[in-house]
């Protein structure tokens, strides 16, 4: 299969992201997929800074900055306003971090999903509140260090399953994505653009300061997250038809976490537990793929 990444560059140079920021790479790919007829809604998150000081913006399309909890409802309002003006060919994308999605923005996101608003909601997930000092979010994985879950008492709860939560709303399209596989990411964004109703894209976004990793290793770490099955790539249409995006390898989880200082305090037994949890979640995902195929045949 041959993939092509568009030459279009809407995102300009001069952003203020940290070196190796997965969120900056993700935005660049998203805009390549969506094109110039796009409006972006950004709540409080790293991207509220990365975009540049007001009134400047690096994104090359209109951007609306909104309060932390309002990404989904603001994007819904923008879309309604455009439709009222007869501009139904403009894609509206809410772009929020895990704090504004998993935690603070959940009620607005749930409401927009329940109403099946015609927007694309992208969560770039760096697994903590990185913009305000690396505090844990409900997207922070079990065992990880953050400033509010120090090494003596690391995160003791598992990462919230945001995909299952969105699927419970029966929206048309949900997908996971990675900056290590830009062709797959762009394909999914284009597909989301072509679908009416609510679309949710969950992209893992390495954060070198928060993950205590080397900036030049962000793509390698992203690829290891996929191939270790910690962050598998798949899409779900109409709430039940699961499709895996590629043939995942069987890389041990320890190969993924050894590049990240936020896990360096873990014992071998704790790493083995993460491996077991990952294997279990993968087995459940494979069963969902099988069940989706069964319903598709009927």
């Amino acid at each position: 299969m041959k993939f092509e990444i568009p030459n279009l560059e809407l995102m300009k140079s001069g952003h203020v992201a940290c070196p190796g920021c997965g969120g900056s790479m993700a935005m660049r790919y998203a805009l390549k997929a969506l094109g110039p007829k796009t409006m972006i809604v950004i709540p409080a998150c790293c991207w509220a800074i990365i975009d540049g000081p007001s009134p400047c913006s690096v994104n090359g399309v209109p951007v609306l900055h909104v309060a932390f909890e309002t990404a989904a409802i603001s994007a819904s309002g923008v879309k309604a306003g455009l439709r009222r003006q007869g501009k139904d060919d403009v894609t509206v994308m809410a772009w929020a971090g895990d704090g504004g999605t998993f935690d603070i923005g959940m009620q607005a996101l749930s409401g927009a999903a329940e109403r099946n608003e015609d927007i694309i909601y992208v969560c770039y997930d760096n697994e903590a509140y990185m913009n305000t000092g690396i505090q844990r979010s409900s997207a922070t994985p079990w065992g990880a260090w953050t400033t509010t879950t120090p090494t003596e008492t690391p995160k003791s709860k598992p990462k919230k399953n945001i995909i299952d939560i969105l699927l419970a709303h029966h929206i048309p399209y949900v997908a996971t994505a990675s900056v290590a596989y830009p062709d797959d990411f762009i394909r999914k964004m284009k597909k989301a653009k072509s679908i009416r109703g609510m679309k949710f894209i969950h992209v893992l976004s390495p954060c070198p300061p928060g993950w205590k990793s080397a900036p030049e290793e962000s793509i390698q770490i992203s690829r290891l997250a996929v191939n270790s099955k910690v962050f598998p790539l798949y899409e779900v249409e109409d709430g039940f038809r699961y499709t895996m995006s590629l043939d995942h390898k069987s890389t041990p989880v320890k190969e993924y976490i050894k590049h990240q200082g936020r896990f360096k305090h873990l014992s071998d037994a704790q790493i083995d537990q993460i491996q077991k949890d990952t294997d279990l979640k993968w087995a459940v995902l494979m069963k969902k793929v099988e069940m989706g195929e069964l319903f598709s045949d009927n």
Side-chain angles (χ1 to χ4, degrees), residues 14 36 65 69 84 97-99 122 129-130 139 150 213 232 246 266 269:
H65 291 274
E69 71 279 15
R84 181 71 173 176
D98 50 290
V122 178
Y129 289 85
M130 300 305 185
S213 58
L246 49 82
L266 297 181

Side-chain angles (χ1 to χ4, degrees), residues 274-286:
I274 295 175
Q275 182 69 64
K276 291 177 182 177
D277 293 343
T278 302
D279 292 343
L280 176 59
K281 291 176 182 176
W282 175 260
V284 171
L285 177 60
M286 290 301 100

Side-chain angles (χ1 to χ4, degrees), residues 32-237:
K32 280 178 171 287
L34 299 182
K37 285 194 172 183
T38 301
M39 294 186 69
I40 307 173
V41 174
I42 300 177
C45 61
C46 290
W47 250 101
I49 305 300
I50 294 171
D51 195 38
S54 177
C56 301
S57 171
V58 298
N59 279 323
V61 298
V63 175
L64 176 64
H65 291 274
V66 299
F68 217 148
E69 71 279 15
T70 65
I73 186 62
S74 298
S76 302
V78 170
K79 184 65 179 180
L82 289 168
R83 189 181 298 116
R84 181 71 173 176
Q85 298 176 53
K87 300 175 181 177
D88 209 24
D89 59 343
V90 178
T91 301
V92 179
M93 175 175 69
W95 184 272
D98 50 290
T101 303
F102 287 62
D103 300 336
I104 298 172
M106 175 57 74
Q107 57 86 15
L109 174 59
S110 177
E114 189 273 335
R115 295 189 302 273
N116 197 26
E117 299 283 358
D118 187 22
I119 62 172
I120 300 175
Y121 190 108
V122 178
C123 174
Y124 69 101
D125 178 9
N126 52 30
E127 300 188 322
Y129 289 85
M130 300 305 185
N131 189 42
T132 53
I134 319 174
Q135 299 92 354
R136 64 93 88 182
S137 75
S138 58
T140 303
W142 180 89
W145 163 93
T146 68
T147 54
T148 51
T149 54
T151 54
E152 296 80 9
T153 54
K155 177 80 179 297
S156 60
K157 301 295 182 184
K159 179 171 183 167
K160 185 185 290 183
N161 191 331
I162 193 70
I163 296 296
D164 278 1
I165 292 171
L166 267 296
L167 288 176
H169 293 76
H170 308 290
I171 61 176
Y173 187 68
V174 176
T176 61
S178 168
V179 294
Y181 297 89
D183 44 9
D184 177 70
F185 184 21
I186 290 171
R187 179 186 65 80
K188 287 170 177 171
M189 290 299 294
K190 287 184 173 180
K191 188 171 185 176
K193 180 182 177 180
S194 72
I195 297 172
R196 283 278 187 176
M198 183 83 178
K199 290 81 60 176
F200 182 83
I201 308 292
H202 183 200
V203 55
L204 187 65
S205 176
C207 171
W211 292 17
K212 296 184 179 297
S213 58
E216 64 272 20
E217 290 185 338
S218 288
I219 295 298
Q220 181 185 5
I221 291 172
S222 297
R223 188 172 293 115
L224 287 169
V226 172
N227 288 321
S228 66
K229 302 170 182 172
V230 169
F231 195 86
L233 297 185
Y234 60 99
E235 52 195 319
V236 189
E237 297 175 71

